[in-house]
Amino acid sequence: MPLAPGGAAASPWAPVADREQQREAKRQAVLQAAAQLFNERGFHATSLDDIAARLNVSKPTLYYYVKSKDEILLQCVRQGLQMMREGIEASRAAGGQALDQLLACMHVYARIVMQDFGMCLIRVGDEQVPPESRKELRRLKSEIDQAFRRLVAAGVAEGSLQPCDPKMTAFVIAGALSWIGRWYRPDGPCTPDEVAQQCIDPLLQGVLRRTAAQPAIKRTRRGPLASRR
Amino acid sequence: MPLAPGGAAASPWAPVADREQQREAKRQAVLQAAAQLFNERGFHATSLDDIAARLNVSKPTLYYYVKSKDEILLQCVRQGLQMMREGIEASRAAGGQALDQLLACMHVYARIVMQDFGMCLIRVGDEQVPPESRKELRRLKSEIDQAFRRLVAAGVAEGSLQPCDPKMTAFVIAGALSWIGRWYRPDGPCTPDEVAQQCIDPLLQGVLRRTAAQPAIKRTRRGPLASRR
């Protein structure tokens, strides 16, 4: 047995703090593998055996880190939401115009739905989370939604955004960006930043072409939908 | 027993054609009740007993119309897709500029995701559909996606839409409109047409305010994301 500095026999066990860190890293690996499988196959089609197999461990080993598949899902979705909340908070804390903050939040949101936990949040419906946790998740989701609405409203107030219903506009933004989590493949041709930018641009600029001679707003009024407004 | 015209004894059974029509109407009622329950509670949390209870019939009665819960889901999602395909086809057949056709398709899409089968299509993930049917559903979804991409590309070509990557723009449109199926409540303050219009407007016009002095495209370049392009 090697001698520790000072001459005492070194323990073959790592110090407690290291072990706790390792345990947390392993717990995180369980959640990550689970999120990937949920995203690939769906929550109900994924078993604890599948998760264990992907990590090259036995199912009993998993139980050292998590209680159940339901708990895993909850933790995955909670982490996705937590990442979004922190990202949005940081974007807002960075200050600047409401428009700058909104742009930063849009990028954060888009990038997170391309990652395992964020994708899980988008792909797994609320109703798959255990009922007792649904309320907490809805509250967290609602906070994110409210943050977007406030930024849109502030953008309208500062004159950088079109006058609009902030609730609807926030839904349009969240919908277009959330959808990335449904279609995005990490092996696709674009980097996550490129995907984010290519989805954010049409939201900012609109899909209609505008020219000085033919402003877009007039063009729509001439469209088939004019009578509905 | 009453006499039928001509004097023969009238049968207490309806004519075959009527009975088939009634059977189809009842089958449709089963699918509709199921779609509503899937949307409210999620597919896995809904049992055949729940569906039977909502229709005031017994579970064995359901089996006269459908084989299994899996088959019901498949039929619901298939009907949602079929409605979209027909709506998009009709919008395109109506002719006009690509922009007019795209607008009509956007309205069709938005209105369908606010209905039971369309909402089911959005809320239930592909991976919940039985594996042997997934391919067919993906093919139908891809057709709809391709129709949007073609219209966006045609709109760019005719000069009515901003130059863009039609694939990404189609995803942004489909995402924002699909999202309606996640948050829309029929008892909300807006009619489906109002919701559709309020979601389509920001997509068309963009969220940025444009003035002659400060065109939106310049505004973004001055934003925090300029270096990423």
Side-chain angles (χ1 to χ4, degrees):
Chain A
M1 187 177 280
L3 290 183
S11 164
W13 282 275
V16 172
D18 289 8
R19 263 147 53 202
E20 273 168 11
Q21 211 174 9
Q22 276 175 25
R23 187 176 185 280
E24 181 49 33
K26 285 178 180 166
R27 189 177 154 277
Q28 200 58 30
V30 171
L31 297 182
Q32 194 115 24
Q36 288 167 1
L37 283 163
F38 297 160
N39 292 336
E40 289 165 21
R41 306 179 188 182
F43 175 65
H44 284 278
T46 301
S47 67
L48 282 175
D49 284 313
D50 295 332
I51 300 170
R54 179 154 297 191
L55 292 162
N56 300 316
V57 298
S58 69
K59 192 157 84 172
T61 304
L62 290 189
Y63 286 118
Y64 184 62
Y65 303 98
V66 289
K67 271 188 297 208
S68 65
K69 205 176 79 161
D70 270 354
E71 194 221 328
I72 297 180
L73 176 64
L74 180 62
Q75 294 300 333
C76 290
V77 173
R78 209 182 255 151
Q79 287 207 23
L81 282 165
Q82 192 56 31
M83 288 163 74
M84 278 192 186
R85 209 159 64 149
E86 286 168 9
I88 290 173
E89 201 34 64
S91 307
R92 289 170 60 199
Q97 272 202 302
L99 173 60
D100 295 327
Q101 293 180 37
L102 178 64
L103 285 170
C105 286
M106 286 166 79
H107 269 272
V108 160
Y109 194 102
R111 263 174 277 148
I112 291 172
V113 301
M114 287 182 262
Q115 294 169 32
D116 297 326
F117 296 127
M119 195 176 277
C120 197
L121 179 64
I122 302 303
R123 294 195 175 197
V124 178
D126 279 0
E127 62 285 344
Q128 301 198 43
V129 171
E132 62 276 15
S133 312
R134 238 171 264 166
K135 216 168 154 184
E136 178 206 340
L137 295 182
R138 291 208 173 129
R139 187 180 54 73
L140 289 169
K141 282 190 181 180
S142 167
E143 270 182 32
I144 293 167
D145 182 38
Q146 294 296 333
F148 271 96
R149 287 188 203 180
R150 272 194 302 271
L151 285 174
V152 170
V156 173
E158 80 187 10
S160 58
L161 300 190
Q162 298 264 22
C164 66
D165 177 340
K167 180 179 155 186
M168 288 292 183
T169 298
F171 275 147
V172 165
I173 293 171
L177 300 182
S178 296
W179 204 242
I180 300 172
R182 285 273 190 120
W183 59 260
Y184 176 73
R185 296 281 169 277
D187 54 359
C190 296
T191 67
D193 269 347
E194 285 166 347
V195 168
Q197 192 65 55
Q198 284 172 18
C199 289
I200 289 171
D201 272 346
L203 287 171
L204 296 178
Q205 310 292 347
V207 298
L208 289 182
R209 181 160 186 184
R210 304 193 197 181
T211 62
Q214 187 196 42
I217 195 127
K218 282 219 173 138
R219 183 65 203 79
T220 356
R221 292 217 178 105
R222 276 195 270 133
L225 310 165
S227 61
R228 294 210 187 84
R229 292 248 67 190
Chain B
M1 187 177 276
L3 292 182
S11 165
W13 282 275
V16 172
D18 289 7
R19 262 149 53 203
E20 274 171 9
Q21 210 173 7
Q22 276 176 24
R23 188 176 184 282
E24 181 49 33
K26 286 178 179 166
R27 190 177 154 276
Q28 199 59 27
V30 170
L31 298 182
Q32 193 115 22
Q36 287 168 0
L37 284 162
F38 297 160
N39 293 336
E40 289 165 21
R41 307 179 187 180
F43 175 66
H44 284 279
T46 301
S47 67
L48 282 176
D49 283 313
D50 296 331
I51 300 170
R54 179 154 295 192
L55 292 162
N56 301 314
V57 299
S58 69
K59 192 157 85 174
T61 303
L62 289 189
Y63 286 119
Y64 183 60
Y65 304 97
V66 290
K67 270 188 296 204
S68 65
K69 205 175 78 160
D70 270 354
E71 194 221 329
I72 296 180
L73 177 65
L74 180 62
Q75 293 301 332
C76 290
V77 173
R78 208 183 255 151
Q79 285 206 26
L81 282 165
Q82 192 56 30
M83 287 163 74
M84 277 191 187
R85 210 160 63 150
E86 286 167 9
I88 290 172
E89 200 34 65
S91 308
R92 290 170 58 199
Q97 273 202 301
L99 173 60
D100 295 328
Q101 293 180 38
L102 178 64
L103 284 170
C105 285
M106 286 165 80
H107 269 271
V108 160
Y109 194 101
R111 264 174 276 149
I112 291 172
V113 299
M114 287 182 260
Q115 295 168 31
D116 297 326
F117 296 127
M119 194 176 277
C120 197
L121 178 64
I122 301 304
R123 294 194 176 198
V124 177
D126 278 2
E127 61 284 344
Q128 301 199 41
V129 171
E132 62 277 15
S133 313
R134 239 172 263 166
K135 215 169 157 184
E136 178 205 341
L137 295 182
R138 292 211 170 125
R139 187 181 53 74
L140 288 170
K141 282 190 181 181
S142 167
E143 270 181 31
I144 294 167
D145 182 39
Q146 294 295 334
F148 271 96
R149 287 189 204 181
R150 272 194 302 270
L151 285 174
V152 170
V156 172
E158 79 187 9
S160 58
L161 299 190
Q162 298 263 23
C164 65
D165 177 340
K167 180 179 156 185
M168 287 292 183
T169 298
F171 275 147
V172 165
I173 293 172
L177 300 183
S178 296
W179 204 242
I180 301 173
R182 285 272 190 123
W183 59 261
Y184 176 73
R185 296 283 168 276
D187 54 359
C190 296
T191 66
D193 270 347
E194 285 167 347
V195 169
Q197 191 65 53
Q198 283 171 20
C199 289
I200 290 171
D201 271 347
L203 288 171
L204 296 179
Q205 310 291 348
V207 298
L208 288 183
R209 181 162 186 181
R210 303 194 198 179
T211 62
Q214 187 196 42
I217 195 127
K218 281 217 171 144
R219 183 65 202 80
T220 356
R221 289 215 180 109
R222 275 194 269 133
L225 309 165
S227 61
R228 294 210 186 83
R229 290 250 66 187

